Amino acid sequence: MEQYAIKGGNPLVGEVEIGGAKNAALPILAASLMTDETVFIENIPDVRDTNVLMSAMQDIGVMMKKEGRHKATINAANINTTVVTNDKLKKIRASYYLVGALLGKYKEADVVLPGGCDIGSRAIDQHIKGFEALGAEVKIEFGRIRAKAEHLRGNHIYMDVVSVGATINVMMAATLAEGKTIIENAAKEPHVVDLANFLNSMGANIRGAGTDVIRIQGVQRLHGSEYMIIPDQIEAGTFMFAAAITKGDVTVKNVITKHLESITSKLLEIGCEVKEEDDCVRVVASKPLKHTQVKTLPYPGFPTDMQPQITVALALSQGTSIVTESIFENRFKYVDELIRMGANIKVEGNVAVINGMKKYTGASISAPDLRAGAALVLAALAAEGYSTVDDIRYIERGYEDFHIKLQGLGAQIDLIETERDFQKFKLKTG
Ligand code: UD1
């Protein structure tokens, strides 16, 4: 079983290039089956989640030709079924985007129900409510979500909770519905906007993405397009916090600084220097970190996907910090691992009270989910001594070449498989 071996203590210094946004790539790939014409997509991150989705799309007859690691030509003219059973899909959350895409185009979809990270109950009632409002009959049976409609008709839909997934799914189906759909209380995340831009580039008529009211005038068909996916806000934020946690100096390149505002503002608050340029941002952590309070919120609030990374930083700050998780109820599971590394954190419900300490010490730890896994790697990089991190398959779901990019910043981290590999790593870095 692959693990990361890490020797901590080096400040990370240098430049790192950010890839395409996983959470934009997933709906954009799914939406590319909504036209029979050819679509060309650039900046697809080469991570497990996108690869699993692409392979499930190939299984139903979508032609997918990759050019290098990050570009693909996609043609969905010869889809032979709307039943998607690829077992691997259960492992990724975004499998449900195939429901919105297939339902929009073929008025029916039958897709294996999603899994993804175990970070709390992840209801899909708002997706179902949206599909039903458009006239579909939706059933959950045999571990699948089945949706079917004679006709899809636009409607006025109020989302009871702000949901990225439901906003995206309903937007896709409504694009090929008859008439006008209004989604109120819509999610405003950059990837929602990116999908809307992609659909519009295929001939859709979507306005208001990025605000909480999205208006969609249904069109009869979509055409081919060439599109480049936005940079990954969370990958960028993770490397920005890597600088803070390791007391380093990291320039994060190929970003949209506007998408990073909530992250930048917290880094400034805890005493880091942040210098923004057109498409890069430099984070320097030369002073002791200060404590703060943070609550995760839908965009433009502080992202829940950055909550473990800021917690890892605040455990090294001076004073007492409070982190409140308001999106997913089960997102502090990694804290036990941090405590084993010396952190002083108490979790009560959805609130973590963090008393700052001087330094982590290395330990054998496991990644409980994607973002927490990455955050634990950052803790190990700041720690005194050696750590191993296992279950790194979670990290590989969403970070391309994570350890290689960290090595580029001077981190002592390697992929290992056996105890012997670990001993060799110790000899090399000792
Ligand atoms: C997406 C992201 C994930 C991120 C999350 C919040 C992808 C593939 N994943 O997940 O990385 O952490 O947004 O920014 O893009 N909810 C309901 N009913 C629903 C749908 C959601 O009650 O029908 C609740 C969820 O339980 C959660 C909250 O709404 O408490 C937000 O979930 P949502 O925005 O839908 O997250 P995902 O789209 O699953």
Side-chain angles (χ1 to χ4, degrees), residues 22-23 26 93-94 96-97 119 121-127 161-166 189 191 304-305 327-328 331 371:
K22 167 183 88 82
N23 288 349
L26 293 166
R93 189 75 194 147
Y96 56 36
Y97 289 149
I119 52 180
S121 112
R122 296 182 82 167
I124 54 166
D125 56 302
Q126 299 305 303
H127 303 239
V161 294
V162 179
S163 161
V164 171
E189 268 67 4
H191 32 292
T304 173
D305 285 359
I327 312 288
F328 294 111
R331 214 164 187 180
R371 305 301 173 187

Side-chain angles (χ1 to χ4, degrees), residues 269-317:
E269 240 172 81
I270 64 174
C272 297
E273 278 172 70
V274 184
K275 293 172 197 158
E276 286 180 2
E277 275 172 39
D278 279 356
D279 63 350
C280 69
V281 52
R282 179 175 173 196
V283 180
V284 185
S286 52
K287 298 188 207 112
L289 299 181
K290 294 189 270 192
H291 64 99
T292 191
Q293 303 205 355
V294 61
K295 183 176 184 179
T296 61
L297 287 169
Y299 189 84
F302 191 84
T304 173
D305 285 359
M306 286 300 301
Q307 182 259 99
Q309 298 87 321
I310 194 169
T311 299
V312 168
L314 293 176
L316 290 171
S317 71

